[in-house]
Amino acid sequence: MLEGSIRRNLLTTLPALVLLVAMAAITASASPSFLGETNLANLSSRLLPMALATLGQAIVLFAGCIDLSVGSIISLATAVMATLSVPLGWTAVPVSLGIGALCGVVTAAGIDRFRINPLVMSLASAAMIKGVTLLILPSPGGEVDYGFYAVLFESERLLAPPLIITIAVFALATVLFGWSRMGRNIYGYGSDPRAAFARGASPQRVVYSVYVISGVLAAAAGTVLSIRILSGDPLIGDAYTLDTVSAAILGGVALTGGRGNVLGALFAAAALVLINNTFNLLELDTNLQSIAKGLIFILALVFFMRGKAGEA
Amino acid sequence: MAPLVITRLRPASATIRAAALLALLAVVLLVATRGGSLQLLLDNARQAAPLGIIALGQALILMMGRLDLSVGAAAGLANVVLASAFAGDPTNLGPALALTLGLGLAVGLANGVLVVVLRIPAFLATLATAMVIAGGILVYTGGSPRGSIPASFRVITEGWIGDVLPWSVMIWLIVSLVLVVFVHFTLAGRQMLIAGANARAARHSGIAAGSLVVASFVISALMATLGGILLSAITGMASIGIADSYTVDSIAAAVIGGALFSGGVFLPAGAACGALIIFLIQSLLYVLSLPPAARFIVQGAIIVFALALANSKKEP
């Protein structure tokens, strides 16, 4: 029954896991407070948005597509929360996720209906979404109700909502991509669209579902982020686009589709969060961080993509 | 021989479509500004020149079936480096230009090596270079770029040839002409075109595609640098992030002008029309006093529209 993805792709998560453990060991030996519950709780609340967004990107990559609008959707969600959370209360969360789903539908429609290259279509969506975001919230600001923060982030225990949500979402994704027909169809479409079609996977359904899932997860990441900073920021998501792609690739997800594991995405997202955390502990200039991340990304590509890449 | 030359010079249907859209937009802009003149349109072309030149490089990369997402960052790098090397003193012309173009060359070589030697997909490799360059600019300037462009150098965009033709448009035309001659009338250019249209066929015909791909990234980065230099001449100073929008804009311009993501098509006149269309739309949004955010929406919508149109033509 373990037919789908889990066992076959388990090995691909190994490098990310090694990197994660190594980073944790280095940081723990450098600063003893690292393993304290407060710091781990803090890290898990940083991990939540990154892990959600990376999962969405990984799922799109499973289908052999790519979503460069993740960052814009995150920014949009923070803007939506910053304007709606006070008047609407908790209803603002489903509204924000729904808007994320809508963004995914727009991208998928362009790919499916107009046969536009997924990379370029998501780039075009990203521009349009950024425009909408800037119309809603031209500069960082707005207000997210403190009630959200109290529920999600106030606890200083490790076993608090951020970690629980992360585990729940990834457990669900593991089941979805390990044992469900939908997960198999997405992998199948990613490795060979024709063969998947012959086996009864509807290409349309695959394309729409991966982009809607990615849109919802990106919006969830943005929602969580806005709750953490208690406001909105129209540009906060920009860095996430490349971060999610590099985390997915570090996690063993192939750009060519059909290969990878959601757990790899989780390990790599955690490793990236740790790397950021280490940069902060080392008091490294934030601009040097951007250079370092670009170089890490190139290294990840060199190690994982070598010889496997397509021409695009 | 003569008929061959004529068919080669006949514009592609995509170019004609882009030109028609451009003419329509020009009329709308003239009506919207009331009493606008040819002078106004030429002034728009003058300011569109940086984008036009960067779009030419992007069109060349698209011809190779690839994408360069680092052109905005490369143009921004040129802007910051040129201003700080000039430091407002016209006698620094030689070293400033040499340094700026040298860095552009290095960016192009880095992209080419990442794509060809390390076999990283072009859009990811260039995305990563863009990130490294953006970080490098911030580290170098500490967030507040210094220096300025001397007035005597700014003539290249502010000056007009006999009050008829802006110098920047002249530079744009010359660069376009050089590229057209290179692609269609030299051996290396024609090999590039074939390698872009069908990499396998090119390999079987003994074309060393690798070095051609590196060459295309070098040309694209140099175009981006030249665009950044012209942009610096327009603004007269260094600013961070000023050239970022060129990445998506250049893709949009090339695509409106008929470039295909599958490669093998090089339509510089189309790309020029595309660049002018994007710039005229921005002017129009400004004249209609729409918020700046609207330009992002329009930018994305144009790409979708142009590609949807191009793809619908291919359906049986």
Side-chain angles (χ1 to χ4, degrees), chain B residues 45-144:
Chain B
R46 174 180 75 83
Q47 295 179 56
L51 174 61
I53 290 173
I54 296 173
L56 276 175
Q58 189 71 266
L60 189 78
I61 295 286
L62 281 165
M63 178 189 91
M64 302 296 286
R66 289 175 172 83
L67 212 50
D68 188 345
L69 297 183
S70 69
V71 290
L77 180 70
N79 170 245
V80 168
V81 170
L82 188 70
S84 85
F86 251 133
D89 182 0
T91 51
N92 289 336
L93 176 70
L97 275 184
L99 181 65
T100 311
L101 288 170
L103 278 175
L105 186 72
V107 171
L109 277 177
N111 282 335
V113 167
L114 288 175
V115 171
V116 174
V117 180
L118 298 177
R119 298 231 211 145
I120 297 175
F123 75 98
L124 286 175
T126 51
L127 202 59
T129 355
M131 202 166 153
V132 173
I133 294 172
I137 289 174
L138 284 171
V139 170
Y140 173 65
T141 60
S144 49

Side-chain angles (χ1 to χ4, degrees), chain A residues 66 114-116 119-121 123-124 127-128 131 134-135 242 245 255 287 290-291 293 297-298 301-302 307 309 311-312, chain B residues 66-67 114 118-124 127-128 131 135-136 138-139 261 291 293 296-297 299-300 304 307-308 311 315:
Chain A
I66 193 165
F114 302 128
R115 309 210 182 157
I116 299 175
L119 166 68
V120 179
M121 184 59 213
L123 207 60
M128 291 190 278
L134 286 169
L135 285 181
L242 190 60
V245 178
L255 268 178
N287 303 319
S290 135
I291 298 181
K293 272 202 253 173
F297 182 49
I298 292 175
L301 285 167
V302 170
E311 291 289 293
Chain B
R66 289 175 172 83
L67 212 50
L114 288 175
L118 298 177
R119 298 231 211 145
I120 297 175
F123 75 98
L124 286 175
L127 202 59
M131 202 166 153
L138 284 171
V139 170
F261 285 96
F296 288 106
I297 302 178
Q299 192 186 41
V304 174
L307 282 172
N311 289 356
E315 308 261 342

